[in-house]
Amino acid sequence: MNSIRRIPLLTLVFQLFLYSCNSTVNDPKTNPTNDSIKKYIDLAGNDTLPYTQRIYYNDKAYSFIDFSKNDTLTRYNLDMIAFKYCILNKIDKLKFTSDKLMLMSVKSRDTLNIGRAHRNLGLYNMSISNNEKAIEHLFKAKKIFITLQKSNLTLKTLSDISLTQAFACDFLGSNKTAVELLAIAKKMNYNKLDFFCNVKIGNNLFYLKNNTEAIKYLKNAYLLNHSKSDYYPLNNYLCNSYINLKKYDTALKYVNLNLSDTKLYPTDPSSYSTSLSLKAYIQLKMNNFKNLERNFIFAEKNFVLSNSLSGRNYNQIYLSAYYAKIGDTSKSIKAANKALILSKSYKNPTDILISLEQLIKVDNVNSSKHAQLYIQVNDSLQIAERKFRDKFARIKFETDEINHEKQKAIQQKWVIIAISLGIILIFFLLLIITYQRSKQKELRLLQQQQIANEELNELLLHQKTKEEEIRQHEKKRIAIELHDGIMNKLSSTRLNLSILSHRKDAAAIAKCLQYIDDIFQIEQDIRNVSHDLNHDVFKQNDSFSKILEDFITEQNKTGKTHFSLELDPRIKWEDITSIIKINLYRIIQEGSQNIKKYAQAPTAIISITFDLPYICLAITDNGVGFDPTQNYTGIGLKNMATRVKSINGKITISSIAHQNTSISIAIPLADNM
């Protein structure tokens, strides 16, 4: 059998996780839904959780996205979810979310997320072995990130390009890109790529049959500080290299490190299944046939249970080699055919060739047919490799040309900036001279304005003093009127009516009846005085809420409807103008009267709330209701509407027959200051 065993696609995908974890969103406006999305994305990226649970969390994060909002945060979250699908090898969902991200980003002209969408689509095409399309998307992403000076994303995209080159079997090209990437990362002091680059170079050297050098780079990666889960695939890579060097005991040591870890299967089922298969293959190489068939079959079951397609083909190739060694040709051919079917399912020519090699060895009857197919696939692979390298070179050249033109444009921009700065400097000097000349004039004007302001302040102060004197005079007048007028009339009327306590004959009663007109006149006098005092009452800090509470208490005493009052504690009544308070009170009076007259309501709620820039009144009852579209003869609702209009407010009346009536009023505070 060919000594090179291709590392399964899924185990390579883990490398994306090493360098592509995006930073969290730092948005002070995140709401609970966005917090939930972030929480589930973080859980999906937690490699200590079981694989199936991580997929569930990523699906959950996607379900929380509100696609009616095409904003930056929504597109960012969609990119994060798409990339998690890539890490979790959910290729169809990666494609769907990436296409969605592209449509939303193009619609909103979001260049950065267009680049991210290109990158995700590049990873998707790499996963289905459409490497030429993958390179197109990745170079488009790289161009955007370079233009936007997103160095972090540029480096990550270069890493993707290196992976794609390896997937296209251009291992030398992949190594070159990885070495360049490592040098750039060190210059930028970006150490997160050290692990990835060492692993990538080691894998490329493995495919190039330079296993000693491959082990050197893989061990370099081993010494770097990384999460434990990153070392599961790394142990399998080292195991493969030591198998090729026929150092089976050392290879067994690395694979046993994985299998002895109880956290491996739930968190990384693909690496677990691959480790099982490699251990059985080492047994085969060491001619230890004890339970060997059972071990290969157990590995196959785990591949199926973990839904891991990649790696199963090699397990079948190893099983075919085992059956061939014990002389069971029928089972050997069956296993080799199964390996070929699996290799074809993810369109990887290298794995197809290795599967055909095994069939040629074990299926003597059809070896000629398999050999012809091997030649066809090999030829197509070589053509595809040449086409890929040519396309890669052409795209790289075009990108380098763009970068060169960009550098030239930057130089021209600096020249233009220097000339512009010179012109601005001359203009600025002229401006200073003009400014200095006008400064003295401005100072003189300011002095004159200050004098005028002082005179105006004196006039305003005098006016205020005069107004206060008038106010005090008016209060004194009303006090005198109450004492000398109304009080005297009341005392006189009381004395005149006291006759009834001594005499109750018809003549006395007739004489007392004339004093009823006097009482009516006193009532009118009191009303006039109350009208004068009305504004002052409403200007007091605490009186308005007390007035409302007293009013509600009185209503509950005199009617069948039970009224409830709800006042927003945030409202500072001392800051609310008297005109608003007066109108609110009158509207509440009118609304309460209507409820008592017509609604037949068991309960009613009157609430006043604060919703800047409005103060809002709501009067709600559960009475018989009415049709607000009809014209009614009463003027109660019209009076309410007139009052609301006078203070620039809005009134809404809604009613459902036999259920309820609701009056909602919003009064702008700014318009009534």
Side-chain angles (χ1 to χ4, degrees):
M1 186 190 306
N2 194 323
S3 61
I4 295 180
R5 286 166 305 284
R6 179 175 171 81
I7 297 173
L9 171 62
L10 186 55
T11 58
L12 278 176
V13 171
F14 102 101
Q15 296 170 41
L16 296 168
F17 184 71
L18 306 180
Y19 59 89
S20 300
C21 295
N22 294 313
S23 59
T24 57
V25 178
N26 235 342
D27 189 349
K29 297 180 180 177
T30 52
N31 53 41
T33 301
N34 288 328
D35 288 342
S36 300
I37 293 171
K38 181 185 179 301
K39 178 184 75 174
Y40 286 117
I41 290 173
D42 289 343
L43 287 168
N46 186 347
D47 56 10
T48 63
L49 295 175
Y51 172 76
T52 53
Q53 199 168 351
R54 291 169 66 192
I55 294 172
Y56 167 78
Y57 286 136
N58 211 43
D59 290 341
K60 195 77 174 172
Y62 181 85
S63 71
F64 272 103
I65 290 183
D66 182 1
F67 286 106
S68 65
K69 296 180 181 177
N70 187 4
D71 55 18
T72 305
L73 185 57
T74 299
R75 296 189 295 274
Y76 176 88
N77 286 333
L78 195 58
D79 170 61
M80 292 283 286
I81 291 167
F83 191 78
K84 291 296 185 294
Y85 279 134
C86 179
I87 293 171
L88 297 167
N89 202 34
K90 303 302 288 182
I91 305 303
D92 292 339
K93 292 183 178 181
L94 165 63
K95 176 68 162 59
F96 179 79
T97 49
S98 299
D99 285 338
K100 190 86 174 173
L101 175 62
M102 180 64 79
L103 286 171
M104 293 174 69
S105 301
V106 170
K107 187 175 181 180
S108 60
R109 298 181 181 178
D110 182 353
T111 308
L112 177 58
N113 277 305
I114 289 173
R116 286 172 170 160
H118 275 302
R119 183 187 172 213
N120 288 331
L121 288 169
L123 294 173
Y124 165 75
N125 281 285
M126 178 178 68
S127 301
I128 61 170
S129 298
N130 191 350
N131 298 308
E132 289 186 28
K133 196 71 176 173
I135 283 294
E136 285 181 16
H137 281 293
L138 291 173
F139 269 97
K140 284 178 182 177
K142 178 187 170 187
K143 177 183 173 183
I144 289 171
F145 296 147
I146 289 173
T147 303
L148 297 177
Q149 297 182 342
K150 297 291 182 182
S151 55
N152 186 21
L153 288 170
T154 303
L155 290 174
K156 290 175 182 178
T157 307
L158 279 170
S159 305
D160 300 333
I161 291 169
S162 176
L163 272 177
T164 307
Q165 287 175 284
F167 274 44
C169 301
D170 182 11
F171 303 116
L172 288 173
S174 176
N175 251 15
K176 183 180 177 183
T177 303
V179 170
E180 289 174 359
L181 180 62
L182 193 58
I184 295 168
K186 283 183 178 178
K187 272 186 183 179
M188 296 174 60
N189 199 26
Y190 190 76
N191 299 324
K192 291 182 181 179
L193 286 171
D194 288 354
F195 189 91
F196 166 79
C197 289
N198 278 286
V199 171
K200 189 81 238 83
I201 293 169
N203 279 333
N204 289 332
L205 290 169
F206 167 80
Y207 290 127
L208 294 168
K209 301 182 183 180
N210 191 346
N211 292 286
T212 303
E213 284 297 304
I215 289 169
K216 174 184 169 184
Y217 279 95
L218 292 172
K219 283 191 172 181
N220 284 343
Y222 218 93
L223 297 173
L224 295 171
N225 186 21
H226 237 270
S227 66
K228 188 176 180 182
S229 60
D230 295 333
Y231 292 96
Y232 296 143
L234 186 54
N235 285 329
N236 288 336
Y237 299 157
L238 283 162
C239 175
N240 265 295
S241 294
Y242 279 113
I243 289 173
N244 283 350
L245 292 173
K246 298 183 180 180
K247 295 182 179 181
Y248 302 124
D249 289 333
T250 308
L252 198 59
K253 181 186 77 171
Y254 282 103
V255 83
N256 280 334
L257 281 174
N258 280 354
L259 295 174
S260 62
D261 192 332
T262 56
K263 294 181 179 178
L264 173 58
Y265 180 75
T267 58
D268 190 352
S270 176
S271 292
Y272 176 78
S273 304
T274 301
S275 296
L276 284 175
S277 180
L278 285 172
K279 184 173 182 179
Y281 183 63
I282 293 168
Q283 280 184 257
L284 178 64
K285 286 293 185 180
M286 297 175 75
N287 293 316
N288 178 7
F289 293 172
K290 184 179 179 181
N291 297 324
L292 191 54
E293 181 180 14
R294 189 186 69 178
N295 292 341
F296 279 124
I297 292 171
F298 183 57
E300 170 68 10
K301 284 182 180 179
N302 278 281
F303 275 117
V304 173
L305 286 172
S306 62
N307 197 28
S308 299
L309 179 63
S310 299
R312 284 181 64 192
N313 54 346
Y314 285 95
N315 189 61
Q316 291 299 319
I317 291 170
Y318 303 155
L319 184 58
S320 174
Y322 163 72
Y323 285 135
K325 210 160 191 175
I326 64 172
D328 193 336
T329 305
S330 175
K331 286 185 177 180
S332 179
I333 293 170
K334 183 179 178 181
N337 273 315
K338 190 172 182 179
L340 180 60
I341 292 167
L342 289 168
S343 298
K344 286 179 177 179
S345 67
Y346 58 88
K347 303 174 185 177
N348 190 280
T350 305
D351 288 358
I352 293 171
L353 289 176
I354 294 172
S355 301
L356 286 170
E357 283 181 11
Q358 182 63 20
L359 272 172
I360 291 168
K361 288 179 182 179
V362 300
D363 189 0
N364 294 327
V365 176
N366 297 305
S367 60
S368 176
K369 182 179 74 173
H370 296 317
Q372 287 178 0
L373 182 58
Y374 182 93
I375 293 167
Q376 289 175 9
V377 173
N378 190 48
D379 289 344
S380 65
L381 176 60
Q382 291 177 9
I383 292 168
E385 285 180 20
R386 283 197 298 271
K387 283 177 65 180
F388 176 81
R389 290 192 185 100
D390 290 343
K391 187 159 192 174
F392 181 87
R394 186 175 70 254
I395 294 173
K396 189 173 186 301
F397 173 77
E398 290 171 356
T399 305
D400 291 341
E401 282 290 303
I402 290 168
N403 289 337
H404 177 71
E405 289 176 6
K406 183 187 171 186
Q407 291 297 326
K408 188 176 178 181
I410 289 171
Q411 290 175 357
Q412 290 176 349
K413 183 179 76 174
W414 281 113
V415 171
I416 293 168
I417 288 172
I419 294 170
S420 300
L421 285 173
I423 294 169
I424 290 169
L425 183 60
I426 294 168
F427 175 77
F428 187 69
L429 289 171
L430 291 171
L431 194 64
I432 290 173
I433 294 168
T434 307
Y435 176 77
Q436 290 293 339
R437 288 179 178 178
S438 64
K439 188 66 177 176
Q440 293 181 346
K441 291 181 180 179
E442 187 179 342
L443 287 172
R444 285 196 295 270
L445 287 171
L446 285 172
Q447 289 173 354
Q448 292 172 3
Q449 187 176 356
Q450 188 174 357
I451 293 168
N453 286 339
E454 289 174 358
E455 291 176 355
L456 180 61
N457 287 335
E458 288 180 6
L459 287 171
L460 290 173
L461 183 61
H462 177 71
Q463 182 68 20
K464 258 189 176 177
T465 305
K466 196 170 180 180
E467 285 177 1
E468 185 62 28
E469 288 175 359
I470 293 169
R471 189 179 293 110
Q472 293 300 326
H473 176 75
E474 184 65 14
K475 285 183 178 179
K476 188 180 290 186
R477 182 190 67 77
I478 293 170
I480 292 169
E481 186 176 334
L482 283 170
H483 184 271
D484 297 344
I486 296 172
M487 184 64 73
N488 288 337
K489 288 179 182 178
L490 279 173
S491 298
S492 175
T493 304
R494 180 177 60 80
L495 290 171
N496 290 327
L497 289 174
S498 64
I499 192 172
L500 290 174
S501 62
H502 304 293
R503 294 170 52 195
K504 294 184 181 178
D505 55 86
I509 292 171
K511 185 177 181 180
C512 290
L513 285 175
Q514 65 182 339
Y515 296 117
I516 292 174
D517 292 335
D518 293 339
I519 294 172
F520 177 75
Q521 185 59 45
I522 293 169
E523 181 186 338
Q524 291 297 111
D525 292 343
I526 292 171
R527 185 176 289 109
N528 291 335
V529 173
S530 297
H531 185 270
D532 291 337
L533 291 173
N534 194 37
H535 287 282
D536 290 335
V537 170
F538 284 106
K539 285 179 181 176
Q540 295 179 33
N541 291 349
D542 300 324
S543 64
F544 187 69
S545 57
K546 183 68 170 60
I547 288 169
L548 292 179
E549 289 168 2
D550 291 343
F551 174 78
I552 294 301
T553 302
E554 189 63 27
Q555 294 303 305
N556 287 333
K557 287 179 181 178
T558 59
K560 294 181 180 179
T561 302
H562 178 76
F563 288 86
S564 299
L565 178 65
E566 296 175 356
L567 296 178
D568 193 332
R570 296 175 300 164
I571 300 175
K572 295 180 180 179
W573 289 109
E574 63 269 23
D575 296 335
I576 306 300
T577 62
S578 295
I579 191 69
I580 290 179
K581 290 190 277 190
I582 291 168
N583 280 289
L584 283 174
Y585 185 79
R586 296 302 183 214
I587 291 167
I588 290 170
Q589 279 184 317
E590 189 66 40
S592 302
Q593 191 66 19
N594 286 347
I595 290 170
K596 290 167 70 176
K597 274 186 179 181
Y598 309 115
Q600 302 175 26
T603 60
I605 299 173
I606 298 170
S607 66
I608 303 177
T609 58
F610 205 40
D611 187 8
L612 281 177
Y614 297 95
I615 187 167
C616 301
L617 167 65
I619 303 173
T620 307
D621 68 76
N622 57 355
V624 297
F626 69 101
D627 184 359
T629 61
Q630 291 185 10
N631 292 323
Y632 291 90
T633 57
I635 62 170
L637 293 177
K638 291 179 182 178
N639 286 344
M640 285 187 192
T642 301
R643 286 186 177 277
V644 172
K645 186 177 179 182
S646 70
I647 50 177
N648 300 316
K650 296 178 182 177
I651 183 168
T652 304
I653 301 172
S654 60
S655 182
I656 301 174
H658 309 296
Q659 291 188 31
N660 60 60
T661 299
S662 176
I663 299 173
S664 300
I665 295 167
I667 302 168
L669 296 175
D671 293 347
N672 293 280
M673 295 301 290

